[in-house]
Amino acid sequence: MLDAHRLASASEYPLGIVKGTPILLSDKGELDEWLVLYFTSCPKFTSLDLLSRRTYALEIAMWCGFLGRQADPLMWLEATEDDFIDYKIRRTDHHQFADTVAGSTWNKAVFALRDLYDWAVSRKIPIGPNGPSIESNPVPGGRGATRVPGGRANEVLVRQERDRWIVPGTYRLWRDVGLRGRGIERVGPNQWRTAGEDKSCRVRNSLRNTVFTDFVYSTGLRVQEAGSLLLAELPTEGVIEAKLPAAIAKYSKARMWYSAPTVSRTLSTYVKVGRAAAVRRAIREGRYDAIDDIIWVTEVRRARKGTFEVVQDDGVVMSLNTMKSATRRRLFWLRDGRPEPMALWLNEGGTPYHHESWIGVFDAANDRLWAAVEATGGAATDELTVTPHSLRFSFALALTVRLHQRLDAMHGWNEDVAYGDGTRYDEVFRTVKDVLGHKSVETTRNTYLPRVQRLRFDRLFGSLNAGTTIRDMVSSFAQELSEIRDLTGDGA
């Protein structure tokens, strides 16, 4: 009986299981073979990024713990829809329980459990050693409007777990208040702006954190992709593109990524100021001397097709294109006669910053902005939930609109031409697909076409002049689509 909810530690991993794969253990150290199979072989689960896999696994563990603590303990395969409804009440009814969760957190549990049971039903997994196969999913299908006896599967009056599209002005508000600790003032209904320093707010690593979020917002890279880069892999001065190694790219497929000159200058400031200070601090405190598994690199050289390889001090050559994030954090070299990590992003102590740790930075910034908004009379609907995916999607939407506009100008299309089914913009979606690293162009088209198509053609392009910026375009979107967030009113 899996009656606890904890992930296995590194020392508890079963043989043959790849480190980092979520594995759940009971208080007695027991494994559930079907959950192990799900975590290691279900394509829908294994295709998630590491942080999402961990989040889903913890939600499944909470569910197993709930079932195991019943007066008549149940295995997860024995659960019914009534059990799910009881669980929903236990986790979301704040009138009865003090330790309930927000609707967005509850929705993550719904998604995690629904996917698990869909997989179990498709595999016809038996209920017990000699029992019949599971035949139905105890988690009701559908979204917020789906009613189940005694409750709903999803909370209906909450946004999704993240805000997917954020206008530039609102991003800067989030960044300056949440990451820099600036003050805030309300300037109208559902509108705020920064207002000087908030002396009561103490933030750490503000330069590094703001440079990272600016970087993601301007390149569309995923958090693992951006967070695993090495200094040597950044574009050289005057170059706007670089190769993203396959080992840190989703689907293990290398691709090009693009960096505007302004982004390169911002990165350079971080490297020369914030990062350099962290390295000096580490050397002064002897932090690098205490690391046992350092891989010392004596040379970095360009390999085939734009990727790099490194030469260790013992002469061994390693390809960066196939090097995973964990190994990358072990790479060190000498720069200006001083030892330092090759990793781009460092913590305060000067050691490599794990890419999964960025989620905590985003969560803290969300909490800080919400506290400021709430203190000025903001309503629950004004809460902003920014994630690395939010910044990535916002970049992609702006890129999609800009490419639409350019293609429009090339062919002389104007507001008198109906938008149509979007097939004439296939070139746009193929380009965005390549930049984002989507698996197929259909994914890109299905994500962004509805948002573009739902707006009037002249709203998108006809009223825009040559000086219209991406900021203007995405801000105009926010006036039409509630899913695109704008807390500043004009996007500026």
Side-chain angles (χ1 to χ4, degrees), residues 166 171 213 216-217 362 386-395:
I166 302 163
Y171 163 69
T213 58
V216 174
Y217 195 51
F362 278 75
V386 177
T387 69
H389 265 64
S390 306
L391 305 187
R392 171 176 160 84
F393 275 103
S394 299
F395 160 83

Side-chain angles (χ1 to χ4, degrees), residues 442-481:
E442 288 304 316
T443 300
T444 309
R445 184 185 291 106
N446 293 341
T447 300
Y448 298 102
L449 176 60
R451 278 80 202 177
V452 176
Q453 202 169 20
R454 280 173 54 192
L455 297 171
R456 289 179 57 209
F457 192 78
D458 60 348
R459 176 70 177 173
L460 270 177
F461 310 118
S463 62
L464 302 179
N465 55 45
T468 300
T469 65
I470 291 180
R471 181 198 73 187
D472 299 326
M473 288 186 286
V474 181
S475 295
S476 73
F477 268 40
Q479 298 174 30
E480 300 285 345
L481 301 178

Side-chain angles (χ1 to χ4, degrees), residues 124-139:
K124 295 182 171 51
I125 293 176
I127 303 174
N130 300 307
S133 300
I134 183 172
E135 294 183 353
S136 62
N137 191 329
V139 182

Side-chain angles (χ1 to χ4, degrees), residues 279-446:
V279 170
R280 290 194 298 269
R281 187 179 303 113
I283 294 173
R284 186 170 61 249
E285 297 175 357
R287 292 181 181 272
Y288 300 151
D289 297 332
I291 301 176
D292 296 327
D293 59 350
I294 285 178
I295 298 175
W296 287 104
V297 172
T298 59
E299 182 185 358
V300 179
R301 61 197 188 194
R302 190 171 292 277
R304 298 175 58 226
K305 298 182 179 180
T307 57
F308 292 91
E309 58 188 20
V310 295
V311 182
Q312 299 183 46
D313 56 356
D314 59 3
V316 174
V317 178
M318 303 173 67
S319 170
L320 293 183
N321 191 52
T322 57
M323 187 179 293
K324 298 293 187 180
S325 299
T327 305
R328 287 166 165 265
R329 291 192 292 273
R330 297 171 54 198
L331 299 180
F332 279 67
W333 58 2
L334 292 177
R335 294 182 77 219
D336 301 325
R338 301 182 307 175
E340 67 174 80
M342 291 182 65
L344 172 59
W345 308 103
L346 306 181
N347 59 31
E348 261 186 316
T351 54
Y353 196 64
H354 198 296
H355 63 267
E356 291 185 7
S357 299
W358 285 111
I359 302 304
V361 172
F362 278 75
D363 287 345
N366 290 334
D367 292 343
R368 196 172 290 120
L369 176 61
W370 169 237
V373 167
E374 188 178 34
T376 59
T381 53
D382 297 317
E383 185 175 3
L384 188 69
T385 304
V386 177
T387 69
H389 265 64
S390 306
L391 305 187
R392 171 176 160 84
F393 275 103
S394 299
F395 160 83
L397 181 61
L399 178 63
T400 303
V401 173
R402 174 60 79 192
L403 292 176
H404 268 71
Q405 189 184 41
R406 288 191 175 182
L407 196 63
D408 216 42
M410 286 174 55
H411 294 283
W413 296 328
N414 58 35
E415 63 270 26
D416 296 326
V417 180
Y419 188 88
D421 61 4
T423 55
R424 69 168 176 253
Y425 294 107
D426 275 352
E427 182 180 344
V428 169
F429 294 117
R430 283 195 298 270
T431 300
V432 176
K433 172 252 182 189
D434 291 340
V435 172
L436 293 185
H438 282 163
K439 204 165 188 178
S440 72
V441 72
E442 288 304 316
T443 300
T444 309
R445 184 185 291 106
N446 293 341

